[in-house]
Amino acid sequence: MSQTDHVRETLKSAGLRPTRQRLALGGLLFNGHDRHFTAEQLHDEARRGGFKVSVATVYNTLHQFTGAGLLREVVVDGSKTHFDTNTSNHHHFLFADGSLMDIPAGQMQVLGLPEPPEGSAVVRVDILVRLGRAA
Amino acid sequence: MSQTDHVRETLKSAGLRPTRQRLALGGLLFNGHDRHFTAEQLHDEARRGGFKVSVATVYNTLHQFTGAGLLREVVVDGSKTHFDTNTSNHHHFLFADGSLMDIPAGQMQVLGLPEPPEGSAVVRVDILVRLGRAA
DNA sequence: GTGTTTGCAAAGTGTTTGCAATTTA
DNA sequence: TAAATTGCAAACACTTTGCAAACAC
């Protein structure tokens, strides 16, 4: 199965029409490698690769992908929104330069988490490990 | 010691001049209760209390307070910046309505955190427990 | 064909900045 | 009086929206 077919298949199973733009952006994202990126980075990458996409479409597409469970948003600071192609349960290292690295949740465990207040339930636990230069 | 004197003292020990604006905003914040708020909320609160401060000054002041270690920023989503008067080591519950509640770090422990990559060191670990309505 | 998607530019948020006027020490 | 701080409005960065044209099925 070609890479294009794989993306086409991914979109179809997510209920998204395989438009030219979605195929192009999906081709950059769903290639087997986990990656972290912002809308701007993906837009730049697409244009450098010769694909003409508007910023608005990149944003729309990323939100559609996220809504379809193909991407996850990662909140690391107030400015840009970061997306992650790894949608499984995991956490992150945040490097001093702003880049991210996944930490598989499997090897981690949080002890002592208090019960959430009456009427609420835990939806997700996000752990962000902020890193600096070694001492 | 009056509340005003307490704020004045707090500012002085942080190396910040006790200007009218800082005293007013500090008075709203450093009253013994831990609170979470955004710049806009604090600005509204100040004006409702009859104090005229510009948005720019609220932002400047919050950043000065943060730089002086009197406040902490809490990242919960890409939109607004949240500030926290609790500067000790702790984590957060994020309710469905966007409000926050502190979780003392003392009772918590994270197991299985991998070593940070060569050349970097852990600066801080932030845990955000996202809550929804109970099932 | 018919409903969906795109692109553009304009509007919207939240936040920062430049600079003259004001205030503090 | 000298240096720090404020307020305003304009500038900013990122993101969303409205709507006609283009496209997928």
Side-chain angles (χ1 to χ4, degrees):
Chain A
M1 181 159 80
S2 77
Q3 161 64 10
T4 304
D5 283 346
H6 171 247
V7 174
R8 197 177 284 275
E9 204 43 49
T10 302
L11 293 178
K12 176 177 245 178
S13 61
L16 296 172
R17 284 190 183 179
T19 67
R20 198 168 307 151
Q21 291 78 348
R22 285 173 185 164
L23 285 169
L25 296 176
L28 293 172
L29 300 176
F30 310 129
N31 52 20
H33 300 297
D34 287 341
R35 36 176 317 195
H36 303 95
F37 59 95
T38 64
E40 186 190 8
Q41 284 166 5
L42 186 62
H43 184 236
D44 286 352
E45 190 175 335
R47 297 189 82 92
R48 274 199 307 275
F51 283 115
K52 302 275 191 289
V53 214
S54 70
V55 197
T57 297
V58 171
Y59 276 104
N60 288 340
T61 304
L62 290 178
H63 288 148
Q64 289 152 358
F65 284 2
T66 302
L70 303 177
L71 292 178
R72 237 183 71 173
E73 289 187 16
V74 185
V75 177
V76 298
D77 68 71
S79 53
K80 309 185 177 187
T81 302
H82 290 250
F83 293 87
D84 189 343
T85 56
N86 180 352
T87 57
S88 68
N89 181 25
H90 68 287
H91 305 293
H92 294 97
F93 276 129
L94 174 64
F95 292 92
D97 70 354
S99 62
L100 290 165
M101 177 185 278
D102 286 349
I103 305 176
Q107 61 194 267
M108 298 184 62
Q109 194 178 358
V110 179
L111 298 181
L113 186 66
E115 282 299 307
E118 187 65 29
S120 34
V122 175
V123 170
R124 203 172 80 195
V125 177
D126 287 337
I127 303 181
L128 183 64
V129 182
R130 298 176 185 277
L131 302 177
R133 281 91 186 166
Chain B
M1 181 160 81
S2 77
Q3 163 62 11
T4 305
D5 283 346
H6 171 247
V7 174
R8 197 177 284 275
E9 206 41 50
T10 302
L11 293 178
K12 177 177 243 177
S13 61
L16 295 172
R17 284 190 182 179
T19 67
R20 199 168 307 153
Q21 291 80 348
R22 284 173 186 164
L23 285 169
L25 296 177
L28 293 172
L29 300 176
F30 310 129
N31 53 19
H33 300 297
D34 286 341
R35 36 177 317 196
H36 302 96
F37 59 93
T38 63
E40 186 189 9
Q41 283 165 6
L42 186 62
H43 184 237
D44 286 352
E45 190 175 336
R47 299 189 80 93
R48 274 199 308 276
F51 199 81
K52 303 274 190 292
V53 215
S54 70
V55 198
T57 297
V58 171
Y59 275 104
N60 288 338
T61 304
L62 290 177
H63 288 148
Q64 289 153 358
F65 284 3
T66 301
L70 302 177
L71 293 177
R72 237 183 72 173
E73 290 188 14
V74 185
V75 177
V76 299
D77 69 70
S79 53
K80 308 186 178 188
T81 301
H82 291 249
F83 292 87
D84 189 344
T85 57
N86 181 352
T87 57
S88 68
N89 181 24
H90 69 286
H91 304 294
H92 294 97
F93 277 130
L94 173 63
F95 292 92
D97 71 354
S99 62
L100 291 165
M101 176 183 279
D102 285 350
I103 305 176
Q107 61 194 268
M108 298 184 61
Q109 195 178 357
V110 178
L111 298 182
L113 185 66
E115 283 298 308
E118 187 65 29
S120 34
V122 175
V123 169
R124 203 171 82 195
V125 177
D126 287 336
I127 303 181
L128 184 65
V129 182
R130 298 176 185 277
L131 301 176
R133 280 92 186 165

